[in-house]
């Protein structure tokens, strides 16, 4: 299994099934994609910004739903194996990705796995065990959540610095060294969480020391 990241911005996702699993999947994908959940009933949990369509399509009808929604990904999240089979088949015929909530990892070689995810935008870290131990993925996500706290702010700062260095510093080795020293500065990390302007001033000082 090789992990890949997929940009769902501007894409559609169709989730078949409105139980707790469907709700969790909806919250995940509605962050980026236009997400549609089709189900005869919906769990009490939040579905994020997903559109909820109350319908009870038979397995034979799911190909029409896939054609109508035109998704990049179909999530089969019902408690009916026949419906999930039909949703997966419709996804394949449509050329869409498919994630089956009733299968994972090596049990679904034709599908995609949605891993446990940690976010501090724009940083995303994903964990998966190939379906062997989902509880371990969740445990590791909790353990790592604190470790990447602040990584998003650092990523944005380094992105700004890299852009400026490409314009102002012709020596690629100096550029790499400047970025590396900002990244390794405990002062910058500390200030990013409370005083971002101060963190930026310290980063600029480090860059000047390296490039002047």
């Amino acid at each position: 299994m090789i992990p890949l990241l997929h940009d769902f911005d501007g894409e559609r996702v169709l989730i078949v099934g409105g139980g707790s699993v469907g709700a969790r999947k909806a919250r995940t994908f509605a962050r980026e994609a236009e997400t549609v959940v089709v189900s005869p009933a919906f769990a009490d949990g939040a579905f994020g910004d997903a559109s909820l369509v109350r319908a009870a399509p038979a397995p034979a009808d799911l190909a029409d739903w896939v054609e109508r929604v035109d998704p990049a990904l179909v999530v089969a999240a019902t408690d009916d194996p026949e419906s999930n089979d039909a949703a997966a088949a419709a996804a394949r015929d449509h050329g869409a990705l498919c994630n089956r909530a009733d299968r994972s990892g090596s049990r679904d070689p034709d599908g995609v796995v949605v891993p446990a995810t940690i976010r501090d935008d724009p940083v995303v870290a994903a964990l998966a065990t190939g379906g062997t131990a989902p509880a371990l993925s969740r445990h590791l996500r909790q353990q790592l959540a604190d470790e990447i706290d602040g990584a998003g702010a650092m990523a944005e700062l380094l992105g700004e610095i890299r852009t400026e260095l490409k314009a102002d510093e012709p020596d690629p080795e100096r550029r790499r060294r400047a970025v590396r020293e900002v990244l390794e500065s405990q002062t910058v990390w500390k200030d990013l969480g409370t005083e971002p302007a101060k963190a930026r001033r310290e980063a600029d000082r480090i860059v000047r020391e390296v490039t002047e």
Side-chain angles (χ1 to χ4, degrees), residues 47-167:
F47 285 78
D49 293 329
S51 299
L52 307 185
V53 179
R54 195 174 294 276
D61 298 328
L62 288 172
D64 290 337
W65 277 93
V66 171
E67 288 298 321
R68 192 181 316 162
V69 176
D70 188 25
L73 170 72
V74 175
V75 178
T78 78
D79 56 6
D80 175 30
E82 184 180 358
S83 293
N84 290 341
D85 285 343
R92 286 194 298 270
D93 291 344
H94 189 71
L97 300 172
C98 182
N99 169 245
R100 288 190 62 151
D102 58 349
R103 295 182 184 174
S104 58
S106 59
R107 292 179 56 209
D108 187 20
D110 294 328
V112 297
V113 174
V114 180
T117 305
I118 309 162
R119 287 181 176 270
D120 187 358
D121 290 332
V123 176
V124 180
L127 295 160
T129 61
T132 303
L136 177 59
S137 295
R138 293 191 292 270
H139 175 75
L140 291 174
R141 176 177 59 190
Q142 294 169 355
Q143 295 293 311
L144 292 174
D146 290 339
E147 296 295 325
I148 72 164
D149 185 39
M154 177 60 82
E156 291 178 348
L157 174 61
L158 293 178
E160 293 172 2
I161 289 172
R162 289 181 69 244
T163 298
E164 293 163 4
L165 284 169
K166 285 180 179 179

